Amino acid sequence: MSDINWQELSKAAEGAYHKAYAPYSKFQVGAAALAQNGKVVCGCNVENASYGLTVCAERNCIAQAVIQGDQEIKGLVVYTETEKLTPPCGACRQVIVEFMDSKAIVKSVNHLGKEKQWTVAELLPSAFTPKDLED
Ligand code: THU
């Protein structure tokens, strides 16, 4: 996983953060992922007046990778401008598991240069995965 340019991913996540549509929570989130084909894809949270329809930055980012034709993500960064780092929510963890290896790294970073990282397995231990549909 050392071949990942985390600085570049963090910058891309910061760019996505500035595009977030979060008029209700005012909590903007940006995400960027490195796809298997080397492409960097981004996503931001997109809220809705019907609040429950909100989609998180991570899930929009992963959907973007899939739309670009890449279903394998090597690393993912979540960017917020909060003192406390933002971990992916539960729904996003399940979607992350679908498209990332259990040993792949997810990082949360902020505008102060703080960061924390997890493996996918740490984010969602004992996950229900596509393999569980096989037998
Ligand atoms: N949010 C994300 O985009 N990612 C997360 O992992 C946590 C929550 C968004 C959803 C909503 O627009 C706002 O943050 C507040 O929950």
Side-chain angles (χ1 to χ4, degrees):
M1 299 301 155
S2 53
D3 55 331
I4 295 175
N5 185 340
W6 291 105
Q7 213 180 338
E8 180 195 12
L9 272 191
S10 299
K11 271 279 155 213
E14 181 180 352
Y17 166 90
H18 289 291
K19 293 184 179 149
Y21 179 72
Y24 307 109
S25 71
K26 316 268 188 236
F27 192 85
Q28 291 178 241
V29 185
L34 176 66
Q36 193 63 43
N37 61 12
K39 275 190 210 159
V40 172
V41 293
C42 297
C44 58
N45 53 333
V46 179
E47 299 187 346
N48 194 278
S50 177
Y51 302 156
L53 298 183
T54 290
V55 184
C56 293
E58 299 92 319
R59 273 176 289 150
N60 276 330
C61 178
I62 289 170
Q64 195 59 38
V66 173
I67 288 161
Q68 302 263 334
D70 207 314
Q71 301 184 351
E72 218 179 310
I73 290 162
K74 289 165 71 176
L76 184 118
V77 169
V78 181
Y79 177 95
T80 49
E81 296 200 347
T82 49
E83 171 80 32
K84 190 176 170 297
L85 294 167
T86 301
C89 79
C92 289
R93 292 177 193 213
Q94 181 65 35
V95 174
I96 284 168
V97 160
E98 186 82 16
F99 296 102
M100 294 181 76
D101 187 86
S102 61
K103 293 192 192 79
I105 298 291
V106 175
K107 282 195 190 205
S108 178
V109 305
N110 71 5
H111 60 307
L112 303 170
K114 253 170 83 173
E115 64 170 68
K116 183 174 167 59
Q117 71 175 51
W118 308 265
T119 63
V120 169
E122 283 169 340
L123 283 176
L124 194 60
S126 308
F128 178 72
T129 73
K131 281 207 172 81
D132 291 302
L133 293 172
E134 282 169 18
D135 38 42

